[in-house]
Coordinates of all heavy atoms in Angstrom, one line a residue:
Q207 N -11.6 27.6 -14.3 CA -12.7 28.0 -13.4 C -12.4 27.6 -12.0 O -11.7 26.6 -11.7 CB -14.0 27.4 -13.8 CG -14.5 27.7 -15.2 CD -15.7 26.9 -15.6 OE1 -16.1 25.9 -14.9 NE2 -16.4 27.3 -16.7
K208 N -12.7 28.5 -11.0 CA -12.5 28.2 -9.6 C -13.4 27.1 -9.1 O -14.6 27.2 -9.2 CB -12.7 29.5 -8.8 CG -12.2 29.3 -7.3 CD -12.3 30.7 -6.6 CE -11.9 30.5 -5.2 NZ -12.0 31.8 -4.4
K209 N -12.8 26.1 -8.6 CA -13.6 24.9 -8.1 C -14.2 25.2 -6.8 O -13.4 25.7 -5.9 CB -12.7 23.7 -8.0 CG -13.5 22.4 -7.7 CD -12.5 21.2 -7.6 CE -13.3 20.0 -7.2 NZ -12.4 18.8 -7.1
P210 N -15.5 25.0 -6.5 CA -16.0 25.4 -5.2 C -15.5 24.4 -4.1 O -15.1 23.3 -4.4 CB -17.5 25.1 -5.4 CG -17.6 24.1 -6.6 CD -16.5 24.5 -7.5
R211 N -15.4 25.0 -2.9 CA -14.9 24.2 -1.8 C -15.8 23.0 -1.5 O -17.0 23.2 -1.5 CB -14.7 25.1 -0.6 CG -14.0 24.4 0.6 CD -13.7 25.4 1.7 NE -15.0 25.8 2.3 CZ -15.2 27.0 2.9 NH1 -14.3 27.9 2.9 NH2 -16.4 27.3 3.4
T212 N -15.2 21.9 -1.3 CA -16.0 20.6 -1.1 C -16.5 20.5 0.3 O -17.6 20.0 0.6 CB -15.1 19.4 -1.4 OG1 -14.6 19.5 -2.8 CG2 -15.9 18.1 -1.3
W213 N -15.7 20.9 1.3 CA -16.0 20.6 2.7 C -16.6 21.8 3.5 O -16.2 23.0 3.2 CB -14.7 20.2 3.4 CG -14.2 18.9 2.8 CD1 -13.2 18.9 1.8 CD2 -14.6 17.6 3.1 NE1 -13.0 17.6 1.4 CE2 -13.8 16.8 2.2 CE3 -15.5 17.0 3.9 CZ2 -13.9 15.4 2.2 CZ3 -15.6 15.6 3.9 CH2 -14.8 14.8 3.1
E214 N -17.5 21.5 4.4 CA -18.1 22.5 5.2 C -18.0 22.1 6.7 O -18.1 20.9 7.0 CB -19.6 22.7 4.9 CG -19.9 23.2 3.4 CD -19.3 24.6 3.2 OE1 -19.2 25.4 4.2 OE2 -19.0 24.9 2.0
L215 N -17.8 23.1 7.5 CA -17.6 22.8 9.0 C -19.0 22.8 9.7 O -19.8 23.7 9.5 CB -16.7 23.8 9.6 CG -16.4 23.6 11.1 CD1 -15.5 22.4 11.2 CD2 -15.6 24.8 11.6
G216 N -19.3 21.7 10.4 CA -20.6 21.6 11.1 C -20.5 22.2 12.5 O -19.5 22.9 12.9
T217 N -21.6 22.1 13.2 CA -21.6 22.6 14.6 C -21.2 21.6 15.6 O -21.4 20.4 15.3 CB -23.0 23.1 14.9 OG1 -24.0 22.0 14.7 CG2 -23.4 24.3 14.0
P218 N -20.6 21.9 16.7 CA -20.1 20.9 17.6 C -21.3 20.1 18.2 O -22.4 20.6 18.3 CB -19.5 21.8 18.8 CG -19.1 23.1 18.1 CD -20.2 23.3 17.1
R219 N -21.0 18.8 18.4 CA -22.0 17.9 19.0 C -21.4 17.1 20.1 O -20.2 16.8 20.1 CB -22.6 17.0 17.9 CG -21.6 16.1 17.2 CD -22.2 15.4 16.0 NE -21.2 14.7 15.3 CZ -20.9 13.4 15.4 NH1 -21.6 12.6 16.3 NH2 -20.0 12.8 14.7
R220 N -22.1 16.9 21.1 CA -21.6 16.1 22.3 C -21.9 14.7 22.2 O -23.1 14.3 21.9 CB -22.1 16.7 23.6 CG -21.6 18.1 23.8 CD -22.2 18.7 25.1 NE -21.8 18.0 26.3 CZ -20.6 18.1 26.9 NH1 -19.7 19.0 26.4 NH2 -20.3 17.4 28.0
V221 N -20.9 13.8 22.3 CA -21.0 12.4 22.1 C -20.6 11.7 23.4 O -19.5 12.0 23.9 CB -20.2 11.9 20.9 CG1 -20.3 10.4 20.8 CG2 -20.7 12.5 19.6
D222 N -21.3 10.7 23.8 CA -21.0 9.9 25.0 C -20.0 8.8 24.6 O -20.5 7.8 24.0 CB -22.2 9.4 25.7 CG -21.9 8.7 27.0 OD1 -20.8 8.8 27.4 OD2 -22.9 8.1 27.5
F223 N -18.8 8.9 24.9 CA -17.8 7.8 24.6 C -17.7 7.0 25.8 O -17.4 7.4 26.9 CB -16.4 8.4 24.3 CG -16.3 8.9 22.9 CD1 -16.8 10.1 22.5 CD2 -15.5 8.2 22.0 CE1 -16.7 10.6 21.2 CE2 -15.4 8.6 20.7 CZ -16.0 9.8 20.3
P224 N -18.1 5.7 25.7 CA -18.0 4.8 26.9 C -16.6 4.8 27.6 O -15.6 4.7 26.9 CB -18.3 3.4 26.3 CG -19.1 3.7 25.1 CD -18.5 5.0 24.5
G225 N -16.6 5.1 28.8 CA -15.3 5.2 29.6 C -14.6 6.5 29.5 O -13.6 6.7 30.2
M226 N -15.1 7.4 28.6 CA -14.4 8.7 28.5 C -15.3 9.9 28.7 O -15.0 11.0 28.3 CB -13.8 8.8 27.1 CG -12.5 8.0 27.0 SD -11.6 8.3 25.4 CE -12.3 7.1 24.4
C227 N -16.5 9.6 29.2 CA -17.5 10.7 29.4 C -17.9 11.3 28.1 O -17.8 10.8 27.0 CB -16.9 11.8 30.4 SG -16.4 11.1 31.9
M228 N -18.4 12.6 28.2 CA -18.9 13.3 27.0 C -17.7 14.0 26.3 O -16.9 14.6 26.9 CB -20.0 14.3 27.3 CG -21.2 13.7 28.0 SD -22.2 12.6 27.0 CE -22.9 13.8 25.8
V229 N -17.7 13.9 25.0 CA -16.7 14.5 24.2 C -17.3 15.3 23.1 O -18.3 14.9 22.4 CB -15.8 13.4 23.5 CG1 -14.7 14.1 22.6 CG2 -15.1 12.6 24.5
E230 N -16.9 16.6 23.0 CA -17.4 17.5 21.9 C -16.7 17.2 20.6 O -15.5 17.2 20.5 CB -17.2 18.9 22.3 CG -18.0 19.9 21.5 CD -18.0 21.3 22.1 OE1 -16.9 21.9 22.1 OE2 -19.1 21.8 22.5
I231 N -17.5 16.9 19.6 CA -17.0 16.5 18.3 C -17.4 17.5 17.3 O -18.4 18.1 17.3 CB -17.6 15.1 17.9 CG1 -17.3 14.0 18.9 CG2 -17.2 14.7 16.5 CD1 -15.8 13.8 19.0
L232 N -16.4 17.7 16.3 CA -16.7 18.6 15.1 C -16.7 17.7 13.9 O -15.9 16.7 13.9 CB -15.6 19.7 15.0 CG -15.9 21.0 15.6 CD1 -14.7 22.0 15.4 CD2 -17.2 21.7 15.0
D233 N -17.5 18.1 12.9 CA -17.5 17.3 11.7 C -17.3 18.2 10.5 O -17.8 19.3 10.4 CB -18.9 16.6 11.5 CG -19.3 15.8 12.7 OD1 -18.7 14.8 12.9 OD2 -20.2 16.3 13.5
L234 N -16.5 17.7 9.6 CA -16.4 18.3 8.2 C -17.2 17.5 7.3 O -17.0 16.2 7.2 CB -14.9 18.3 7.8 CG -14.0 19.3 8.5 CD1 -12.5 19.1 8.1 CD2 -14.4 20.7 8.3
G235 N -18.1 18.0 6.6 CA -19.0 17.3 5.7 C -18.9 17.8 4.3 O -18.8 19.0 4.0
S236 N -18.9 16.8 3.4 CA -19.0 17.1 1.9 C -20.4 16.8 1.5 O -20.8 15.6 1.6 CB -17.9 16.3 1.1 OG -18.2 16.4 -0.3
F237 N -21.1 17.7 0.9 CA -22.5 17.5 0.4 C -22.6 17.4 -1.1 O -23.6 17.6 -1.6 CB -23.3 18.6 1.0 CG -23.4 18.6 2.5 CD1 -22.5 19.3 3.3 CD2 -24.4 17.9 3.1 CE1 -22.5 19.3 4.7 CE2 -24.5 17.8 4.5 CZ -23.5 18.5 5.3
I238 N -21.4 17.2 -1.7 CA -21.4 17.0 -3.2 C -21.6 15.5 -3.5 O -20.6 14.7 -3.3 CB -20.1 17.6 -3.8 CG1 -20.0 19.1 -3.5 CG2 -20.1 17.3 -5.3 CD1 -18.7 19.7 -4.0
H239 N -22.8 15.1 -3.8 CA -23.0 13.7 -4.1 C -22.8 13.4 -5.6 O -23.2 14.2 -6.5 CB -24.5 13.4 -3.8 CG -24.8 13.4 -2.3 ND1 -24.8 12.3 -1.5 CD2 -25.1 14.5 -1.5 CE1 -25.1 12.7 -0.3 NE2 -25.3 14.0 -0.3
W240 N -22.0 12.4 -5.8 CA -21.8 12.0 -7.2 C -21.7 10.5 -7.3 O -21.3 9.8 -6.3 CB -20.4 12.6 -7.7 CG -19.3 12.4 -6.8 CD1 -19.0 13.1 -5.7 CD2 -18.3 11.4 -6.9 NE1 -17.8 12.6 -5.1 CE2 -17.4 11.6 -5.9 CE3 -18.0 10.4 -7.9 CZ2 -16.2 10.8 -5.7 CZ3 -16.9 9.6 -7.7 CH2 -16.0 9.8 -6.6
A241 N -22.0 10.0 -8.4 CA -22.0 8.5 -8.6 C -20.6 8.0 -8.7 O -19.8 8.5 -9.5 CB -22.9 8.1 -9.8
P242 N -20.2 6.9 -8.0 CA -18.9 6.4 -8.1 C -18.7 5.9 -9.5 O -19.6 5.4 -10.2 CB -18.9 5.2 -7.1 CG -20.0 5.5 -6.2 CD -21.0 6.2 -6.9
E243 N -17.4 5.9 -9.9 CA -17.1 5.5 -11.3 C -17.2 3.9 -11.4 O -17.4 3.4 -12.4 CB -15.7 5.9 -11.6 CG -15.5 7.4 -11.7 CD -14.1 7.9 -11.9 OE1 -13.3 7.0 -12.5 OE2 -13.7 9.0 -11.6
H244 N -16.9 3.2 -10.3 CA -16.9 1.8 -10.3 C -17.6 1.3 -9.0 O -17.7 2.1 -8.0 CB -15.5 1.2 -10.3 CG -14.7 1.8 -11.4 ND1 -14.8 1.5 -12.7 CD2 -13.7 2.7 -11.3 CE1 -13.9 2.1 -13.4 NE2 -13.2 2.9 -12.6
S245 N -18.1 0.1 -9.0 CA -18.6 -0.5 -7.7 C -17.6 -1.5 -7.3 O -17.3 -2.5 -8.0 CB -19.9 -1.2 -8.0 OG -20.3 -2.1 -6.9
A246 N -17.0 -1.3 -6.1 CA -16.0 -2.2 -5.6 C -16.6 -3.6 -5.4 O -15.9 -4.6 -5.6 CB -15.4 -1.7 -4.3
E247 N -17.9 -3.7 -4.9 CA -18.5 -5.0 -4.7 C -18.6 -5.7 -6.1 O -18.3 -6.9 -6.1 CB -19.9 -4.8 -4.1 CG -19.8 -4.2 -2.7 CD -21.1 -4.3 -2.0 OE1 -22.0 -5.1 -2.4 OE2 -21.3 -3.6 -1.0
R248 N -19.1 -5.0 -7.1 CA -19.3 -5.7 -8.4 C -17.9 -6.1 -9.0 O -17.7 -7.2 -9.5 CB -20.0 -4.8 -9.4 CG -20.3 -5.5 -10.7 CD -21.2 -4.6 -11.6 NE -20.4 -3.5 -12.1 CZ -20.7 -2.2 -11.7 NH1 -21.6 -1.9 -10.9 NH2 -19.9 -1.2 -12.2
K249 N -16.9 -5.2 -8.8 CA -15.6 -5.5 -9.4 C -15.0 -6.7 -8.7 O -14.3 -7.5 -9.3 CB -14.7 -4.3 -9.3 CG -15.0 -3.2 -10.3 CD -14.0 -2.1 -10.3 CE -12.7 -2.5 -10.8 NZ -12.6 -2.7 -12.2
A250 N -15.2 -6.9 -7.4 CA -14.6 -8.0 -6.7 C -15.2 -9.3 -7.3 O -14.5 -10.3 -7.5 CB -14.9 -7.9 -5.2
G251 N -16.5 -9.3 -7.5 CA -17.1 -10.5 -8.2 C -16.6 -10.7 -9.6 O -16.4 -11.9 -9.9
E252 N -16.4 -9.7 -10.3 CA -15.9 -9.8 -11.7 C -14.5 -10.4 -11.7 O -14.2 -11.2 -12.5 CB -16.0 -8.5 -12.4 CG -17.5 -8.0 -12.7 CD -17.5 -6.6 -13.3 OE1 -16.5 -5.9 -13.3 OE2 -18.6 -6.2 -13.7
W253 N -13.7 -9.8 -10.8 CA -12.3 -10.3 -10.7 C -12.3 -11.8 -10.3 O -11.5 -12.6 -10.9 CB -11.5 -9.5 -9.8 CG -10.9 -8.3 -10.3 CD1 -11.2 -7.0 -10.0 CD2 -9.9 -8.2 -11.4 NE1 -10.4 -6.1 -10.8 CE2 -9.6 -6.9 -11.6 CE3 -9.2 -9.2 -12.1 CZ2 -8.7 -6.4 -12.6 CZ3 -8.3 -8.8 -13.0 CH2 -8.0 -7.4 -13.3
F254 N -13.2 -12.2 -9.4 CA -13.2 -13.6 -9.0 C -13.6 -14.5 -10.2 O -13.0 -15.5 -10.4 CB -14.2 -13.8 -7.8 CG -14.4 -15.2 -7.4 CD1 -13.4 -15.8 -6.6 CD2 -15.4 -15.9 -7.8 CE1 -13.5 -17.1 -6.2 CE2 -15.6 -17.3 -7.4 CZ -14.6 -17.9 -6.6
Q255 N -14.6 -14.1 -10.9 CA -15.1 -14.9 -12.1 C -14.0 -15.0 -13.1 O -13.8 -16.0 -13.7 CB -16.3 -14.2 -12.7 CG -17.6 -14.3 -11.8 CD -18.7 -13.5 -12.3 OE1 -18.7 -13.0 -13.4 NE2 -19.8 -13.4 -11.5
E256 N -13.2 -13.9 -13.3 CA -12.1 -14.0 -14.2 C -11.0 -14.9 -13.8 O -10.5 -15.7 -14.6 CB -11.5 -12.5 -14.4 CG -10.4 -12.4 -15.4 CD -10.8 -12.6 -16.8 OE1 -12.0 -12.8 -17.1 OE2 -10.0 -12.7 -17.7
L257 N -10.7 -14.9 -12.5 CA -9.7 -15.9 -12.0 C -10.2 -17.3 -12.1 O -9.4 -18.2 -12.5 CB -9.4 -15.5 -10.5 CG -8.8 -14.2 -10.2 CD1 -8.6 -14.0 -8.7 CD2 -7.4 -14.0 -10.9
E258 N -11.5 -17.5 -11.9 CA -12.0 -18.8 -12.0 C -12.0 -19.3 -13.4 O -11.7 -20.4 -13.7 CB -13.5 -18.8 -11.5 CG -14.0 -20.1 -11.1 CD -15.4 -20.0 -10.4 OE1 -16.1 -19.0 -10.7 OE2 -15.7 -20.8 -9.5
R259 N -12.3 -18.4 -14.4 CA -12.3 -18.7 -15.8 C -10.9 -19.1 -16.3 O -10.8 -20.0 -17.1 CB -12.9 -17.5 -16.6 CG -13.0 -17.8 -18.1 CD -13.5 -16.6 -18.8 NE -12.5 -15.6 -18.9 CZ -11.4 -15.5 -19.7 NH1 -11.3 -16.5 -20.6 NH2 -10.6 -14.6 -19.7
K260 N -9.9 -18.4 -15.8 CA -8.5 -18.7 -16.2 C -7.9 -19.9 -15.4 O -6.7 -20.2 -15.7 CB -7.7 -17.5 -16.1 CG -8.1 -16.3 -17.0 CD -7.2 -15.1 -16.9 CE -7.5 -14.1 -17.9 NZ -6.6 -12.9 -17.8
G261 N -8.6 -20.5 -14.6 CA -8.1 -21.6 -13.8 C -7.1 -21.2 -12.7 O -6.4 -22.0 -12.2
L262 N -7.2 -19.9 -12.3 CA -6.3 -19.4 -11.3 C -6.9 -19.5 -9.9 O -6.3 -19.2 -8.9 CB -6.0 -17.9 -11.5 CG -5.2 -17.7 -12.9 CD1 -5.0 -16.2 -13.2 CD2 -3.9 -18.4 -12.9
Y263 N -8.2 -19.9 -9.8 CA -8.8 -20.2 -8.6 C -9.1 -21.7 -8.5 O -9.8 -22.3 -9.4 CB -10.1 -19.5 -8.4 CG -11.0 -20.0 -7.2 CD1 -10.6 -19.7 -5.9 CD2 -12.1 -20.8 -7.5 CE1 -11.4 -20.1 -4.9 CE2 -12.9 -21.2 -6.4 CZ -12.5 -20.9 -5.1 OH -13.3 -21.4 -4.1

Side-chain angles (χ1 to χ4, degrees):
Q207 301 174 345
K208 189 175 181 180
K209 184 179 178 181
R211 191 175 63 211
T212 302
W213 300 93
E214 299 296 335
L215 185 64
T217 56
R219 57 189 175 98
R220 292 178 64 80
V221 176
D222 186 8
F223 280 75
M226 285 190 265
C227 306
M228 301 294 290
V229 179
E230 195 168 65
I231 300 298
L232 266 178
D233 307 288
L234 291 174
S236 170
F237 295 88
I238 299 177
H239 293 265
W240 51 279
E243 297 175 21
H244 311 283
S245 165
E247 294 193 18
R248 186 176 67 249
K249 284 184 71 70
E252 291 173 352
W253 275 114
F254 177 80
Q255 290 172 10
E256 181 69 6
L257 296 177
E258 200 171 31
R259 185 183 67 81
K260 291 183 175 180
L262 299 174
Y263 168 73

